[in-house]
Amino acid sequence: MIIFDIFIALLLAAGCVFLLGGALGILRMPDFYTRLHGASLLDTIALVCLLSASILYVLTRHPDVNGLITSLKIILIAVFVFITSPTATHAIADAGRRAGLKPWTRQNEEESP
Amino acid sequence: MKKLALILCLFAGGLLLMNAHYLPMWGDPASPASTHVSPYFIENAYEHTKTPNMVAVVLADYRSYDTMFEAAVVLAAGFACFFLLRSRARGKKGGHHYYRHIPTGVTIKIEEGGKLPAENSKVFRSIDALWTPYDPIIQTTCRCLIPFLQIYSLYVLAHGHYSPGGGFQAGVVLGATIILLAISHNLKTSLKRMSERTAALWSIIGVFIFAGTGLLCLLLGMDYLNYEVLAPLLLSDEAMARSHSILIVEVGVTMAVMAVMVWIYYNLSSAGQQDEGL
């Protein structure tokens, strides 16, 4: 059981590191699109880590039908986030492109703040 | 006038602040609410109503007057938006309009003051001024998600007796699905599925279900919203009658909240024109 606990702790720590990286990306990236990129991808992978940690926790603590149903519900959350999160990112990036926001390059760095 | 309002606000606020220290401390075990109000609910809620979720019991049974007038306030907000924003001048807004000539597929831009085609024209179909080419990714995702969201909202409504949830939350989720349809497609698609008339009717029917349940209790010779007297109608004993009545009034709240959200969105997003929205 201690092996599972260590594994859960590692997954939780990895999730927190990814979330921290996403937050840093939002603060440090140079423009809208790169910030969106950091936020969406790292949030999704952090969610995978955290949800798999919680699935493992539930299954090790309650190895019966109830635990199985709970972990299925958690998997359902992951599935819906996997569908909706890229769509939302796509919609936001698309809106930015339609509104005429140019992606950042080293050439136009001086023009745009 | 503004100064008078400011003085009145400061006076009322100061009065409240001056007397604030008479209130019991937050979480004080010796306060009247903790000594005899909460223990009564905690000890008797399940016995009275056979409903494990105490919050739902307090919301829809012990304090049902409060909830009924909350639903009425939501309805009043919908009416306020309607009377403030709705204009009868359909399609008469300023700026240019876009029309599609259906036989040829040509998009026509009509400048301000130009002659517009008839409303029910079979040849020309109006499209939104902020029209963007439809995005298959967003449309498909939203079309796949909306049924799941609606089923989930019904689950939140029906499971309010056992877990956090209930009428208001279910209504918000259900209304959000209609708004999602309007955002991902356009306002016309959403209006075709749920017209403004339907939204207005649903919001009124929702409040009426709540108030009607109370009135039925009154007609059967009990206090207003005292559900115990409905037991013979619901084919159950008194405790189960209260449990069932909680579900009935929650359905009313869900209908009212959902319809009012959609109604307010229709009026706000199109500035009361209800032809072109976000």
Side-chain angles (χ1 to χ4, degrees):
Chain A
M1 277 304 137
I2 192 80
I3 302 165
F4 282 114
D5 282 355
I6 292 170
F7 200 57
I8 290 167
L10 280 179
L11 275 174
L12 284 177
C16 291
V17 168
F18 282 127
L19 274 182
L20 195 69
L24 267 181
I26 294 172
L27 286 175
R28 301 272 305 160
M29 288 288 193
D31 82 329
F32 174 72
Y33 298 108
T34 44
R35 275 177 201 163
L36 196 63
H37 164 91
S40 67
L41 293 187
L42 286 173
D43 271 11
T44 312
I45 190 72
L47 197 90
V48 171
C49 290
L50 296 177
L51 286 183
S52 47
S54 47
I55 288 171
L56 265 181
Y57 181 83
V58 168
L59 282 183
T60 49
R61 291 301 186 284
H62 306 277
D64 52 5
V65 182
N66 290 331
L68 207 65
I69 289 172
T70 310
S71 55
L72 274 180
K73 282 178 186 168
I74 297 171
I75 290 173
L76 214 58
I77 294 174
V79 167
F80 278 113
V81 170
F82 259 72
I83 296 171
T84 53
S85 172
T87 312
T89 311
H90 167 80
I92 296 169
D94 197 44
R97 203 183 62 79
R98 277 187 206 289
L101 187 64
K102 293 272 187 301
W104 175 86
T105 54
R106 290 218 182 276
Q107 276 77 42
N108 63 13
E109 193 180 358
E110 287 80 28
E111 301 156 25
S112 59
Chain B
M1 200 63 206
K2 248 183 181 169
K3 271 181 189 155
L4 186 71
L6 188 70
I7 290 167
L8 268 177
C9 272
L10 284 179
F11 177 71
L15 212 64
L16 289 174
L17 272 180
M18 261 163 52
N19 291 306
H21 67 275
Y22 290 117
L23 288 171
M25 289 299 287
W26 194 73
D28 182 11
S31 67
S34 306
T35 48
H36 48 268
V37 180
S38 324
Y40 176 79
F41 290 151
I42 292 168
E43 281 162 18
N44 295 316
Y46 187 75
E47 233 172 87
H48 284 167
T49 63
K50 294 275 185 295
T51 305
N53 185 4
M54 221 180 302
V55 178
V57 179
V58 172
L59 182 106
D61 190 306
Y62 293 125
R63 294 266 177 274
S64 46
Y65 273 97
D66 185 25
T67 315
M68 191 188 85
F69 283 108
E70 267 171 33
V73 164
V74 169
L75 179 66
F79 271 113
C81 253
F82 174 75
F83 285 125
L84 282 175
L85 290 171
R86 188 80 170 97
S87 71
R88 297 295 303 163
R90 204 179 160 82
K92 297 278 196 306
K93 74 171 184 66
H96 49 264
H97 291 267
Y98 286 103
Y99 279 88
R100 170 156 295 164
H101 188 235
I102 294 164
T104 56
V106 176
T107 306
I108 304 165
K109 180 182 177 185
I110 298 174
E111 291 290 345
E112 190 166 3
K115 185 175 175 295
L116 298 175
E119 186 70 36
N120 53 358
S121 169
K122 289 243 168 16
V123 186
F124 291 99
R125 193 179 59 208
S126 77
I127 50 182
D128 284 12
L130 293 169
W131 185 73
T132 49
Y134 287 157
D135 194 331
I137 297 175
I138 296 170
Q139 281 199 344
T140 314
T141 311
C142 292
R143 234 178 33 209
C144 295
L145 271 181
I146 285 170
F148 287 105
L149 282 172
Q150 287 177 339
I151 288 173
Y152 180 69
S153 79
L154 294 182
Y155 165 81
V156 168
L157 166 66
H159 218 251
H161 284 51
Y162 301 97
S163 64
F168 287 96
Q169 288 85 341
V172 167
V173 176
L174 206 57
T177 58
I178 308 280
I179 294 175
L180 184 65
L181 186 73
I183 290 174
S184 67
H185 292 67
N186 57 14
L187 195 65
K188 281 205 179 68
T189 316
S190 177
L191 275 169
K192 227 174 266 166
R193 294 294 169 106
M194 184 170 179
S195 67
E196 188 196 17
R197 188 174 300 217
T198 320
L201 261 180
W202 270 53
S203 55
I204 293 163
I205 289 172
V207 176
F208 185 76
I209 286 176
F210 205 139
T213 312
L215 205 64
L216 201 60
C217 302
L218 200 66
L219 289 179
L220 289 173
M222 261 296 211
D223 304 332
Y224 192 72
L225 286 169
N226 189 337
Y227 306 135
E228 280 175 13
V229 75
L230 297 177
L233 293 183
L234 296 168
L235 307 173
S236 53
D237 59 345
E238 288 183 348
M240 279 315 283
R242 289 174 83 163
S243 176
H244 292 326
S245 305
I246 288 173
L247 183 64
I248 293 172
V249 300
E250 298 257 41
V251 168
V253 168
T254 306
M255 285 172 70
V257 170
M258 174 261 199
V260 166
M261 265 185 66
V262 172
W263 198 13
I264 289 178
Y265 174 80
Y266 284 166
N267 279 325
L268 277 182
S269 69
S270 62
Q273 306 273 340
Q274 304 214 349
D275 53 346
E276 296 171 4
L278 280 172

PDB file of all heavy atoms in Angstrom, chain B residues 126-151:
ATOM      1  N   SER B 126     -32.026  36.887 -43.731  1.00  0.00           N
ATOM      2  CA  SER B 126     -31.110  37.817 -43.068  1.00  0.00           C
ATOM      3  C   SER B 126     -30.090  37.036 -42.254  1.00  0.00           C
ATOM      4  O   SER B 126     -30.390  35.980 -41.683  1.00  0.00           O
ATOM      5  CB  SER B 126     -31.893  38.751 -42.156  1.00  0.00           C
ATOM      6  OG  SER B 126     -32.245  38.088 -40.977  1.00  0.00           O
ATOM      7  N   ILE B 127     -28.845  37.533 -42.233  1.00  0.00           N
ATOM      8  CA  ILE B 127     -27.818  36.930 -41.393  1.00  0.00           C
ATOM      9  C   ILE B 127     -27.250  38.007 -40.497  1.00  0.00           C
ATOM     10  O   ILE B 127     -27.379  39.200 -40.777  1.00  0.00           O
ATOM     11  CB  ILE B 127     -26.716  36.241 -42.220  1.00  0.00           C
ATOM     12  CG1 ILE B 127     -26.191  37.167 -43.284  1.00  0.00           C
ATOM     13  CG2 ILE B 127     -27.226  34.976 -42.820  1.00  0.00           C
ATOM     14  CD1 ILE B 127     -25.145  36.519 -44.151  1.00  0.00           C
ATOM     15  N   ASP B 128     -26.607  37.586 -39.413  1.00  0.00           N
ATOM     16  CA  ASP B 128     -26.157  38.547 -38.400  1.00  0.00           C
ATOM     17  C   ASP B 128     -25.112  39.500 -38.962  1.00  0.00           C
ATOM     18  O   ASP B 128     -24.291  39.131 -39.794  1.00  0.00           O
ATOM     19  CB  ASP B 128     -25.549  37.798 -37.214  1.00  0.00           C
ATOM     20  CG  ASP B 128     -26.615  37.172 -36.355  1.00  0.00           C
ATOM     21  OD1 ASP B 128     -27.771  37.131 -36.808  1.00  0.00           O
ATOM     22  OD2 ASP B 128     -26.288  36.733 -35.247  1.00  0.00           O
ATOM     23  N   ALA B 129     -25.157  40.755 -38.460  1.00  0.00           N
ATOM     24  CA  ALA B 129     -24.163  41.745 -38.887  1.00  0.00           C
ATOM     25  C   ALA B 129     -22.769  41.349 -38.397  1.00  0.00           C
ATOM     26  O   ALA B 129     -21.770  41.615 -39.053  1.00  0.00           O
ATOM     27  CB  ALA B 129     -24.538  43.116 -38.353  1.00  0.00           C
ATOM     28  N   LEU B 130     -22.717  40.730 -37.230  1.00  0.00           N
ATOM     29  CA  LEU B 130     -21.425  40.277 -36.699  1.00  0.00           C
ATOM     30  C   LEU B 130     -21.159  38.848 -37.130  1.00  0.00           C
ATOM     31  O   LEU B 130     -20.523  38.080 -36.433  1.00  0.00           O
ATOM     32  CB  LEU B 130     -21.434  40.358 -35.170  1.00  0.00           C
ATOM     33  CG  LEU B 130     -21.512  41.765 -34.600  1.00  0.00           C
ATOM     34  CD1 LEU B 130     -21.790  41.686 -33.112  1.00  0.00           C
ATOM     35  CD2 LEU B 130     -20.222  42.488 -34.845  1.00  0.00           C
ATOM     36  N   TRP B 131     -21.666  38.508 -38.292  1.00  0.00           N
ATOM     37  CA  TRP B 131     -21.641  37.133 -38.740  1.00  0.00           C
ATOM     38  C   TRP B 131     -20.214  36.664 -38.981  1.00  0.00           C
ATOM     39  O   TRP B 131     -19.422  37.321 -39.638  1.00  0.00           O
ATOM     40  CB  TRP B 131     -22.434  37.032 -40.032  1.00  0.00           C
ATOM     41  CG  TRP B 131     -22.590  35.655 -40.542  1.00  0.00           C
ATOM     42  CD1 TRP B 131     -23.383  34.690 -40.038  1.00  0.00           C
ATOM     43  CD2 TRP B 131     -21.935  35.105 -41.669  1.00  0.00           C
ATOM     44  NE1 TRP B 131     -23.276  33.565 -40.779  1.00  0.00           N
ATOM     45  CE2 TRP B 131     -22.394  33.787 -41.789  1.00  0.00           C
ATOM     46  CE3 TRP B 131     -21.014  35.577 -42.594  1.00  0.00           C
ATOM     47  CZ2 TRP B 131     -21.967  32.940 -42.786  1.00  0.00           C
ATOM     48  CZ3 TRP B 131     -20.595  34.739 -43.589  1.00  0.00           C
ATOM     49  CH2 TRP B 131     -21.070  33.429 -43.680  1.00  0.00           C
ATOM     50  N   THR B 132     -19.892  35.530 -38.415  1.00  0.00           N
ATOM     51  CA  THR B 132     -18.610  34.909 -38.717  1.00  0.00           C
ATOM     52  C   THR B 132     -18.915  33.551 -39.315  1.00  0.00           C
ATOM     53  O   THR B 132     -19.925  32.945 -38.974  1.00  0.00           O
ATOM     54  CB  THR B 132     -17.772  34.720 -37.454  1.00  0.00           C
ATOM     55  OG1 THR B 132     -18.586  34.113 -36.468  1.00  0.00           O
ATOM     56  CG2 THR B 132     -17.242  36.034 -36.952  1.00  0.00           C
ATOM     57  N   PRO B 133     -18.064  33.065 -40.217  1.00  0.00           N
ATOM     58  CA  PRO B 133     -18.309  31.740 -40.779  1.00  0.00           C
ATOM     59  C   PRO B 133     -18.426  30.711 -39.665  1.00  0.00           C
ATOM     60  O   PRO B 133     -17.674  30.740 -38.708  1.00  0.00           O
ATOM     61  CB  PRO B 133     -17.062  31.487 -41.626  1.00  0.00           C
ATOM     62  CG  PRO B 133     -16.531  32.823 -41.923  1.00  0.00           C
ATOM     63  CD  PRO B 133     -16.886  33.696 -40.779  1.00  0.00           C
ATOM     64  N   TYR B 134     -19.398  29.836 -39.778  1.00  0.00           N
ATOM     65  CA  TYR B 134     -19.647  28.893 -38.694  1.00  0.00           C
ATOM     66  C   TYR B 134     -18.458  27.980 -38.497  1.00  0.00           C
ATOM     67  O   TYR B 134     -17.868  27.490 -39.446  1.00  0.00           O
ATOM     68  CB  TYR B 134     -20.895  28.084 -38.991  1.00  0.00           C
ATOM     69  CG  TYR B 134     -22.142  28.885 -38.838  1.00  0.00           C
ATOM     70  CD1 TYR B 134     -23.304  28.535 -39.486  1.00  0.00           C
ATOM     71  CD2 TYR B 134     -22.146  30.023 -38.035  1.00  0.00           C
ATOM     72  CE1 TYR B 134     -24.442  29.284 -39.348  1.00  0.00           C
ATOM     73  CE2 TYR B 134     -23.284  30.775 -37.892  1.00  0.00           C
ATOM     74  CZ  TYR B 134     -24.425  30.410 -38.561  1.00  0.00           C
ATOM     75  OH  TYR B 134     -25.545  31.145 -38.418  1.00  0.00           O
ATOM     76  N   ASP B 135     -18.141  27.792 -37.230  1.00  0.00           N
ATOM     77  CA  ASP B 135     -16.985  26.998 -36.882  1.00  0.00           C
ATOM     78  C   ASP B 135     -17.451  25.579 -36.568  1.00  0.00           C
ATOM     79  O   ASP B 135     -18.163  25.368 -35.588  1.00  0.00           O
ATOM     80  CB  ASP B 135     -16.308  27.626 -35.663  1.00  0.00           C
ATOM     81  CG  ASP B 135     -14.938  27.062 -35.448  1.00  0.00           C
ATOM     82  OD1 ASP B 135     -14.735  25.902 -35.832  1.00  0.00           O
ATOM     83  OD2 ASP B 135     -14.088  27.769 -34.913  1.00  0.00           O
ATOM     84  N   PRO B 136     -17.083  24.580 -37.381  1.00  0.00           N
ATOM     85  CA  PRO B 136     -17.603  23.224 -37.136  1.00  0.00           C
ATOM     86  C   PRO B 136     -17.132  22.643 -35.810  1.00  0.00           C
ATOM     87  O   PRO B 136     -17.864  21.863 -35.202  1.00  0.00           O
ATOM     88  CB  PRO B 136     -17.069  22.420 -38.321  1.00  0.00           C
ATOM     89  CG  PRO B 136     -15.973  23.228 -38.894  1.00  0.00           C
ATOM     90  CD  PRO B 136     -16.281  24.655 -38.597  1.00  0.00           C
ATOM     91  N   ILE B 137     -15.928  23.033 -35.356  1.00  0.00           N
ATOM     92  CA  ILE B 137     -15.428  22.448 -34.104  1.00  0.00           C
ATOM     93  C   ILE B 137     -16.324  22.867 -32.939  1.00  0.00           C
ATOM     94  O   ILE B 137     -16.814  22.035 -32.166  1.00  0.00           O
ATOM     95  CB  ILE B 137     -13.978  22.902 -33.846  1.00  0.00           C
ATOM     96  CG1 ILE B 137     -13.073  22.389 -34.941  1.00  0.00           C
ATOM     97  CG2 ILE B 137     -13.503  22.428 -32.484  1.00  0.00           C
ATOM     98  CD1 ILE B 137     -11.664  22.887 -34.832  1.00  0.00           C
ATOM     99  N   ILE B 138     -16.543  24.189 -32.829  1.00  0.00           N
ATOM    100  CA  ILE B 138     -17.319  24.686 -31.695  1.00  0.00           C
ATOM    101  C   ILE B 138     -18.759  24.198 -31.781  1.00  0.00           C
ATOM    102  O   ILE B 138     -19.343  23.755 -30.784  1.00  0.00           O
ATOM    103  CB  ILE B 138     -17.257  26.219 -31.659  1.00  0.00           C
ATOM    104  CG1 ILE B 138     -15.820  26.662 -31.412  1.00  0.00           C
ATOM    105  CG2 ILE B 138     -18.159  26.783 -30.594  1.00  0.00           C
ATOM    106  CD1 ILE B 138     -15.606  28.123 -31.586  1.00  0.00           C
ATOM    107  N   GLN B 139     -19.323  24.244 -33.006  1.00  0.00           N
ATOM    108  CA  GLN B 139     -20.727  23.832 -33.141  1.00  0.00           C
ATOM    109  C   GLN B 139     -20.921  22.370 -32.779  1.00  0.00           C
ATOM    110  O   GLN B 139     -21.845  22.019 -32.043  1.00  0.00           O
ATOM    111  CB  GLN B 139     -21.173  24.050 -34.569  1.00  0.00           C
ATOM    112  CG  GLN B 139     -21.490  25.500 -34.837  1.00  0.00           C
ATOM    113  CD  GLN B 139     -22.346  25.645 -36.055  1.00  0.00           C
ATOM    114  OE1 GLN B 139     -22.451  24.723 -36.853  1.00  0.00           O
ATOM    115  NE2 GLN B 139     -22.941  26.790 -36.209  1.00  0.00           N
ATOM    116  N   THR B 140     -20.022  21.507 -33.285  1.00  0.00           N
ATOM    117  CA  THR B 140     -20.179  20.078 -33.018  1.00  0.00           C
ATOM    118  C   THR B 140     -19.997  19.787 -31.532  1.00  0.00           C
ATOM    119  O   THR B 140     -20.770  19.022 -30.942  1.00  0.00           O
ATOM    120  CB  THR B 140     -19.162  19.277 -33.835  1.00  0.00           C
ATOM    121  OG1 THR B 140     -19.163  19.759 -35.152  1.00  0.00           O
ATOM    122  CG2 THR B 140     -19.495  17.813 -33.808  1.00  0.00           C
ATOM    123  N   THR B 141     -18.978  20.415 -30.929  1.00  0.00           N
ATOM    124  CA  THR B 141     -18.748  20.165 -29.510  1.00  0.00           C
ATOM    125  C   THR B 141     -19.951  20.580 -28.685  1.00  0.00           C
ATOM    126  O   THR B 141     -20.405  19.842 -27.808  1.00  0.00           O
ATOM    127  CB  THR B 141     -17.510  20.938 -29.033  1.00  0.00           C
ATOM    128  OG1 THR B 141     -16.456  20.695 -29.931  1.00  0.00           O
ATOM    129  CG2 THR B 141     -17.121  20.525 -27.650  1.00  0.00           C
ATOM    130  N   CYS B 142     -20.473  21.779 -28.977  1.00  0.00           N
ATOM    131  CA  CYS B 142     -21.611  22.251 -28.197  1.00  0.00           C
ATOM    132  C   CYS B 142     -22.832  21.371 -28.429  1.00  0.00           C
ATOM    133  O   CYS B 142     -23.567  21.066 -27.491  1.00  0.00           O
ATOM    134  CB  CYS B 142     -21.924  23.698 -28.542  1.00  0.00           C
ATOM    135  SG  CYS B 142     -20.638  24.808 -27.999  1.00  0.00           S
ATOM    136  N   ARG B 143     -23.020  20.924 -29.679  1.00  0.00           N
ATOM    137  CA  ARG B 143     -24.180  20.075 -29.951  1.00  0.00           C
ATOM    138  C   ARG B 143     -24.075  18.748 -29.225  1.00  0.00           C
ATOM    139  O   ARG B 143     -25.077  18.186 -28.797  1.00  0.00           O
ATOM    140  CB  ARG B 143     -24.309  19.845 -31.447  1.00  0.00           C
ATOM    141  CG  ARG B 143     -25.662  20.205 -31.932  1.00  0.00           C
ATOM    142  CD  ARG B 143     -25.865  20.047 -33.397  1.00  0.00           C
ATOM    143  NE  ARG B 143     -25.147  18.984 -34.025  1.00  0.00           N
ATOM    144  CZ  ARG B 143     -24.762  19.020 -35.295  1.00  0.00           C
ATOM    145  NH1 ARG B 143     -25.004  20.081 -36.014  1.00  0.00           N
ATOM    146  NH2 ARG B 143     -24.139  18.021 -35.833  1.00  0.00           N
ATOM    147  N   CYS B 144     -22.842  18.230 -29.082  1.00  0.00           N
ATOM    148  CA  CYS B 144     -22.678  16.968 -28.348  1.00  0.00           C
ATOM    149  C   CYS B 144     -22.822  17.192 -26.843  1.00  0.00           C
ATOM    150  O   CYS B 144     -23.281  16.306 -26.128  1.00  0.00           O
ATOM    151  CB  CYS B 144     -21.309  16.361 -28.621  1.00  0.00           C
ATOM    152  SG  CYS B 144     -21.090  15.872 -30.310  1.00  0.00           S
ATOM    153  N   LEU B 145     -22.416  18.367 -26.352  1.00  0.00           N
ATOM    154  CA  LEU B 145     -22.387  18.573 -24.903  1.00  0.00           C
ATOM    155  C   LEU B 145     -23.753  18.931 -24.334  1.00  0.00           C
ATOM    156  O   LEU B 145     -24.056  18.582 -23.196  1.00  0.00           O
ATOM    157  CB  LEU B 145     -21.412  19.697 -24.567  1.00  0.00           C
ATOM    158  CG  LEU B 145     -19.977  19.295 -24.338  1.00  0.00           C
ATOM    159  CD1 LEU B 145     -19.159  20.507 -24.004  1.00  0.00           C
ATOM    160  CD2 LEU B 145     -19.884  18.290 -23.209  1.00  0.00           C
ATOM    161  N   ILE B 146     -24.556  19.655 -25.120  1.00  0.00           N
ATOM    162  CA  ILE B 146     -25.790  20.216 -24.561  1.00  0.00           C
ATOM    163  C   ILE B 146     -26.720  19.145 -23.979  1.00  0.00           C
ATOM    164  O   ILE B 146     -27.218  19.307 -22.866  1.00  0.00           O
ATOM    165  CB  ILE B 146     -26.492  21.109 -25.605  1.00  0.00           C
ATOM    166  CG1 ILE B 146     -25.732  22.432 -25.713  1.00  0.00           C
ATOM    167  CG2 ILE B 146     -27.927  21.377 -25.244  1.00  0.00           C
ATOM    168  CD1 ILE B 146     -26.166  23.295 -26.852  1.00  0.00           C
ATOM    169  N   PRO B 147     -26.943  17.994 -24.663  1.00  0.00           N
ATOM    170  CA  PRO B 147     -27.808  16.979 -24.040  1.00  0.00           C
ATOM    171  C   PRO B 147     -27.271  16.473 -22.706  1.00  0.00           C
ATOM    172  O   PRO B 147     -28.040  16.303 -21.752  1.00  0.00           O
ATOM    173  CB  PRO B 147     -27.829  15.849 -25.069  1.00  0.00           C
ATOM    174  CG  PRO B 147     -27.366  16.433 -26.317  1.00  0.00           C
ATOM    175  CD  PRO B 147     -26.535  17.599 -26.009  1.00  0.00           C
ATOM    176  N   PHE B 148     -25.949  16.279 -22.619  1.00  0.00           N
ATOM    177  CA  PHE B 148     -25.375  15.817 -21.352  1.00  0.00           C
ATOM    178  C   PHE B 148     -25.583  16.856 -20.262  1.00  0.00           C
ATOM    179  O   PHE B 148     -25.918  16.518 -19.122  1.00  0.00           O
ATOM    180  CB  PHE B 148     -23.887  15.538 -21.529  1.00  0.00           C
ATOM    181  CG  PHE B 148     -23.604  14.299 -22.312  1.00  0.00           C
ATOM    182  CD1 PHE B 148     -23.175  14.367 -23.607  1.00  0.00           C
ATOM    183  CD2 PHE B 148     -23.795  13.055 -21.739  1.00  0.00           C
ATOM    184  CE1 PHE B 148     -22.928  13.225 -24.334  1.00  0.00           C
ATOM    185  CE2 PHE B 148     -23.552  11.905 -22.446  1.00  0.00           C
ATOM    186  CZ  PHE B 148     -23.117  11.998 -23.754  1.00  0.00           C
ATOM    187  N   LEU B 149     -25.392  18.124 -20.612  1.00  0.00           N
ATOM    188  CA  LEU B 149     -25.566  19.181 -19.616  1.00  0.00           C
ATOM    189  C   LEU B 149     -27.013  19.222 -19.146  1.00  0.00           C
ATOM    190  O   LEU B 149     -27.283  19.404 -17.950  1.00  0.00           O
ATOM    191  CB  LEU B 149     -25.190  20.531 -20.224  1.00  0.00           C
ATOM    192  CG  LEU B 149     -23.702  20.825 -20.331  1.00  0.00           C
ATOM    193  CD1 LEU B 149     -23.479  22.090 -21.127  1.00  0.00           C
ATOM    194  CD2 LEU B 149     -23.115  20.985 -18.957  1.00  0.00           C
ATOM    195  N   GLN B 150     -27.953  19.030 -20.080  1.00  0.00           N
ATOM    196  CA  GLN B 150     -29.361  19.092 -19.686  1.00  0.00           C
ATOM    197  C   GLN B 150     -29.724  17.917 -18.789  1.00  0.00           C
ATOM    198  O   GLN B 150     -30.436  18.080 -17.798  1.00  0.00           O
ATOM    199  CB  GLN B 150     -30.242  19.140 -20.927  1.00  0.00           C
ATOM    200  CG  GLN B 150     -30.148  20.504 -21.598  1.00  0.00           C
ATOM    201  CD  GLN B 150     -30.937  20.607 -22.860  1.00  0.00           C
ATOM    202  OE1 GLN B 150     -31.262  19.600 -23.472  1.00  0.00           O
ATOM    203  NE2 GLN B 150     -31.232  21.820 -23.264  1.00  0.00           N
ATOM    204  N   ILE B 151     -29.199  16.722 -19.133  1.00  0.00           N
ATOM    205  CA  ILE B 151     -29.468  15.564 -18.268  1.00  0.00           C
ATOM    206  C   ILE B 151     -28.862  15.795 -16.893  1.00  0.00           C
ATOM    207  O   ILE B 151     -29.470  15.499 -15.862  1.00  0.00           O
ATOM    208  CB  ILE B 151     -28.911  14.282 -18.914  1.00  0.00           C
ATOM    209  CG1 ILE B 151     -29.768  13.894 -20.099  1.00  0.00           C
ATOM    210  CG2 ILE B 151     -28.882  13.140 -17.910  1.00  0.00           C
ATOM    211  CD1 ILE B 151     -29.216  12.749 -20.883  1.00  0.00           C
TER     212      ILE B 151
END
